[in-house]
Amino acid sequence: MPGVVFDLDGTLVHSAPDIHAAVNKALAEEGGAPFTLAEITGFIGNGVPVLIQRVLAARGEAPDAHRQAELQGRFMAHYEADPATLTSVYPGAEAAIRHLRAEGWRIGLCTNKPVGASRQILSLFGLLELFDAIIGGDSLPQRKPDPAPLRATAAALNEEVVLYVGDSEVDAATAEAAGLRFALFTEGYRHAPVHDLPHHGLFSHHDELPDLLKRLLA
């Protein structure tokens, strides 16, 4: 059987509430007003550095490397201390992955979330053992939508045919750049209409995923 690589945030887990909480905790330490969950969800997708850049830009702050590093460090401290209290696995996601593994698929994860936090979340939900390869946003110099992380994950699976599953514009662009077929989860964190994202198949519930992936192999 071939391999399948998943994105994490907005694809396998609804993690925006914990990301939102950690951002607001970091801002509260300096007397900053909180963001709404919808605002922070709109900032997710390109990794932690871009998340913090968007937070600062939304506050009207000019780019400043020291300020960026300081706020990013405090955000990560809060997030890594409590990454999954408000996070949930999307319905059917664990069952779908276990079904694929039982059929012989090799499973990878390619995310812009730091690899340590990614492993921590997967472990807390009992999912870490299901993955044969994990590449995070700090595993390589490049991050998605650069195709390098996805190509590295695919190579680690040691399979000739690999499919990618994600939820966003970033994931669609990454798959396209890597030359891989892409399955789009429509209930994640994308901003554009479905028809604006290049994809080979789409699904709204993970129960649909195993059959969809089989069709994409045909």
Side-chain angles (χ1 to χ4, degrees):
M1 296 299 290
V4 57
V5 179
F6 290 91
D7 171 54
L8 184 59
D9 298 306
T11 299
L12 294 179
V13 299
H14 176 40
S15 54
D18 276 306
I19 296 172
H20 170 243
V23 168
N24 283 343
K25 287 176 183 177
L27 292 173
E29 291 175 338
E30 58 190 38
F35 281 89
T36 67
L37 176 59
E39 287 172 322
I40 294 301
T41 300
F43 298 158
I44 295 172
N46 294 83
V48 173
V50 175
L51 168 70
I52 300 304
Q53 288 170 13
R54 290 169 175 165
V55 166
L56 292 173
R59 286 287 187 254
E61 297 191 33
D64 180 276
H66 177 75
R67 169 68 167 145
Q68 164 86 22
E70 187 270 337
L71 184 59
Q72 183 172 319
R74 287 193 287 113
F75 162 77
M76 284 303 303
H78 286 296
Y79 189 61
E80 290 179 338
D82 189 13
T85 297
L86 304 175
T87 294
S88 58
V89 179
Y90 283 109
E94 179 178 357
I97 294 174
R98 291 189 182 278
H99 178 87
L100 292 167
R101 282 192 67 90
E103 290 193 334
W105 290 68
R106 288 181 52 83
I107 311 293
L109 186 82
C110 181
T111 174
N112 276 337
K113 185 188 292 293
V115 68
S118 300
R119 287 181 170 274
Q120 186 179 5
I121 290 171
L122 291 174
S123 180
L124 287 169
F125 286 110
L127 303 177
L128 184 59
E129 65 180 10
L130 302 180
F131 290 85
D132 300 296
I134 297 175
I135 295 290
D138 52 356
S139 298
L140 300 175
Q142 305 90 348
R143 290 192 300 271
K144 300 183 302 179
D146 190 292
L150 181 52
R151 287 174 176 162
T153 315
L157 295 181
N158 196 31
E159 298 291 345
E160 292 185 5
V161 179
V162 176
L163 310 177
Y164 190 44
V165 180
D167 70 292
S168 69
E169 294 84 348
V170 171
D171 297 325
T174 304
E176 187 172 45
L180 297 182
R181 280 167 283 181
F182 178 61
L184 174 64
F185 177 51
T186 60
E187 306 307 301
Y189 300 156
R190 66 180 168 82
H191 308 297
V194 166
H195 59 74
D196 286 349
L197 277 65
H199 61 273
H200 299 86
L202 52 85
F203 65 104
S204 60
H205 193 286
H206 285 77
D207 288 350
E208 308 164 39
L209 185 58
D211 286 341
L212 172 60
L213 295 183
K214 290 175 185 176
R215 291 198 298 272
L216 293 185
L217 292 177

